[in-house]
Amino acid sequence: VSVPQPMQFSVYVRAPSWLASPTLVVAVNGASTVSSGRGSYVQVQRTWHDQDTLQFNLSMAVVAHPYTG
């Protein structure tokens, strides 16, 4: 996050329905803060400071199909 001074606002992160894990965990500055189920939004509402980081992992399942060509 890049802000000129501390600012309070919300960031919304979509947890897609195709996630391999049942929940999406969002971390701010390395500390897990909120989680949400597939197909919903995670809201992170806080006072943000310059250089704060927002981290999350969008895990996907790998599916292989045989080639029939």
Side-chain angles (χ1 to χ4, degrees):
V1 176
S2 179
V3 291
Q5 61 189 23
M7 299 177 74
Q8 184 175 357
F9 58 91
S10 294
V11 173
Y12 294 86
V13 180
R14 175 88 168 131
S17 59
W18 49 257
L19 281 177
S21 61
T23 59
L24 174 67
V25 177
V26 177
V28 176
N29 298 326
S32 296
T33 57
V34 292
S35 64
S36 182
R38 296 180 194 126
S40 62
Y41 287 89
V42 176
Q43 178 185 11
V44 183
Q45 182 177 7
R46 59 173 280 143
T47 299
W48 296 91
H49 297 84
D50 198 38
Q51 302 303 312
D52 279 348
T53 60
L54 185 69
Q55 302 161 320
F56 53 92
N57 181 23
L58 298 176
S59 57
M60 296 177 69
V62 176
V63 178
H65 297 280
Y67 178 69
T68 58

